Amino acid sequence: QEEGGGGDSSQSQEEQQRPKAALVAEQKGKDWPERSDLPLNTTFTVGRKSSSSLRINDHRVSGLHFQIAFSGGVYVLTDLSSNGTLLNGTKVGKGGTRELRDGDTIEVLPHEKVGDEKVSFVFEDTDGEGEEGAAA
C-alpha cells in the first residue's frame, strides 16, 4: 500500500510541474509560436529582447513588454511597457498588475494603433475546466 501512495505522490508532483495555462496568438503565421505554455514555477516574459520567453521582433514592442507569473494560486500580468499593455481593451499601465482569467485578451500592439498589424494574445486557463466541474 505504501508503494501505491508513493506513486500517487509522484503523479501529483508531475501534475504540479505541468503548465496550467497558455498564451494563444490571435494572429497566425507570425514569427512567434501560436501557443506558448505558461509554466507554474517561472516568470514568463513577452517583448523584443532575445532573452524574452516569447520574443516579438518588432521595433514598436518594448524590450520587455509584459510578464506573467503564477502567484497565490492565480496568474498575474504585470505591464512593463511605457507604451502600455491592454487587457480586454483597458490599459494596464506601466508597473500595473491584473489577475488573468480564462479568455482574457492581452494586446501588445492594439488594432486602434496599428490596424491589421496588431499583436494580441488570448489567455487560456487549461485548468479552469476542473474548477468549473468542481463548482457545479
Side-chain angles (χ1 to χ4, degrees):
Q1 289 180 352
E2 287 179 21
E3 286 180 26
D8 291 344
S9 175
S10 69
Q11 185 179 10
S12 66
Q13 285 177 350
E14 198 175 291
E15 284 180 16
Q16 289 174 0
Q17 293 173 355
R18 260 190 274 156
K20 305 261 189 232
L23 277 186
V24 180
E26 288 195 306
Q27 297 73 37
K28 309 299 180 209
K30 298 289 186 179
D31 64 349
W32 55 85
E34 289 186 14
R35 179 186 176 88
S36 300
D37 289 330
L38 302 176
L40 291 174
N41 56 352
T42 60
T43 298
F44 187 89
T45 56
V46 175
R48 197 178 66 249
K49 285 188 174 183
S50 59
S51 60
S52 297
S53 307
L54 176 60
R55 185 170 187 237
I56 301 173
N57 193 14
D58 186 309
H59 70 278
R60 298 168 295 184
V61 175
S62 296
L64 288 174
H65 208 92
F66 69 88
Q67 71 180 25
I68 297 174
F70 190 74
S71 176
V74 296
Y75 282 93
V76 177
L77 176 138
T78 302
D79 188 353
L80 304 172
S81 169
S82 298
N83 295 324
T85 301
L86 301 181
L87 180 63
N88 299 322
T90 302
K91 189 173 183 175
V92 176
K94 187 169 185 170
T97 61
R98 299 289 184 275
E99 183 179 321
L100 292 172
R101 292 186 172 80
D102 186 47
D104 281 349
T105 300
I106 302 165
E107 293 178 88
V108 176
L109 295 175
H111 178 78
E112 295 76 31
K113 289 188 176 182
V114 297
D116 290 340
E117 296 180 26
K118 80 174 188 166
V119 176
S120 59
F121 302 90
V122 174
F123 175 76
E124 187 177 274
D125 185 351
T126 56
D127 198 37
E129 291 178 16
E131 291 174 10
E132 288 175 14

